[in-house]
Amino acid sequence: IAGITQAPTSQILAAGRRMTLRCTQDMRHNAMYWYRQDLGLGLRLIHYSNTAGTTGKGEVPDGYSVSRANTDDFPLTLASAVPSQTSVYFCASSAPGTSEKLFFGSGTQLSVL
Amino acid sequence: DAKTTQPPSMDCAEGRAANLPCNHSTISGNEYVYWYRQIHSQGPQYIIHGLKNNETNEMASLIITEDRKSSTLILPHATLRDTAVYYCIVRPFNFGNEKLTFGTGTRLTIIP
């Protein structure tokens, strides 16, 4: 089934460890996004990429990095995880000609202890 | 960015129409109104969007007031599966989705 795949589904991580959340889409969408969702705060944009080879910072980029080597993949890396990065992370994509609507993955529940 | 105001929660009886309001009084002429919903523990799902005309698709109807300062999402025959958080968002036409602000939405509970 076409769409966005995120991995892992959930992860418990010790503080200070490095972690990469994976996101792959097979819809050939040019734009991809990473959000975090915390109780009471809604979805907040971490980083985005409007096309392969380019990235940009969202509302809450500190402590995270991304890369966009190709159209399909958009990994999110926590270089040294901290407990405040405990959250649910959603990857999304969009494309022109589809009203720019966002397609979301099923999320990664990350707990940093 | 224009911001939206939604009630934090609403209930609706199963089988009835669910009408979810959204206020966007500072909306600009080039901004669309989008609606998404998020069913528990899933990623958000696009529902519908519009500029100034009313819109309908297989999921819902969107009614936008003539002055565009508010809109209503209508789920015509709500089912238990429509229980979710509904987000009303305004999006500039000539900008990417990085300008979107989701907010906290309306938690809609469908009552059996």
Side-chain angles (χ1 to χ4, degrees), chain A residues 31 33 35 37 39-43 45 48 50 59 90 93-95 98-107, chain B residues 34 36 38 41-47 49 85 87 89 91 93 95-105 107:
Chain A
Y33 310 84
Y35 294 87
Q37 187 170 36
L39 192 64
L41 293 177
L43 285 156
L45 183 65
Y48 66 95
N50 284 328
E59 180 185 356
F90 289 101
S93 70
S94 68
T98 62
S99 304
E100 298 277 359
K101 58 188 177 185
L102 289 162
F103 294 81
F104 283 84
S106 56
Chain B
Y34 279 72
Y36 287 81
Q38 187 173 22
S41 77
Q42 298 181 20
Q45 174 191 25
Y46 165 85
I47 301 172
H49 75 283
V85 177
Y87 299 98
I89 301 162
R91 178 185 174 279
F93 173 74
F95 286 94
N97 287 309
E98 65 269 20
K99 298 296 184 182
L100 291 187
T101 300
F102 269 82
T104 53
R107 182 172 297 278

Side-chain angles (χ1 to χ4, degrees), chain A residues 30-110:
Chain A
N30 58 318
M32 297 186 74
Y33 310 84
W34 274 106
Y35 294 87
R36 62 176 289 173
Q37 187 170 36
D38 304 293
L39 192 64
L41 293 177
L43 285 156
R44 293 183 292 170
L45 183 65
I46 305 171
H47 284 288
Y48 66 95
S49 168
N50 284 328
T51 188
T54 68
T55 62
K57 294 182 179 180
E59 180 185 356
V60 288
D62 294 343
Y64 306 95
S65 64
V66 291
S67 61
R68 188 85 185 278
N70 57 61
T71 297
D72 299 343
D73 302 300
F74 191 43
L76 177 73
T77 297
L78 290 68
S80 179
V82 295
S84 62
Q85 292 178 310
T86 293
S87 187
V88 181
Y89 291 85
F90 289 101
C91 180
S93 70
S94 68
T98 62
S99 304
E100 298 277 359
K101 58 188 177 185
L102 289 162
F103 294 81
F104 283 84
S106 56
T108 295
Q109 171 71 62
L110 181 67

Side-chain angles (χ1 to χ4, degrees), chain B residues 33 55 71 89:
Chain B
V33 180
E55 302 287 346
S71 61
I89 301 162

Side-chain angles (χ1 to χ4, degrees), chain A residues 2-25:
Chain A
I4 295 183
T5 302
Q6 290 186 236
T9 303
S10 64
Q11 182 75 44
I12 299 173
L13 187 67
R17 297 298 295 270
R18 180 184 179 90
M19 177 71 192
T20 296
L21 307 185
R22 301 185 298 279
C23 177
T24 300
Q25 53 105 357

Side-chain angles (χ1 to χ4, degrees), chain B residues 1 7 10 24 27-29 39 43 49 51-54 59-60 65 67 81 85-86 90:
Chain B
D1 287 357
M10 293 180 62
H24 31 79
I27 193 170
S28 300
I39 296 171
H49 75 283
L51 182 63
K52 55 183 178 180
N53 297 321
N54 297 338
M59 292 182 68
T65 59
D67 63 9
R81 289 175 295 181
V85 177
Y86 287 77
V90 293

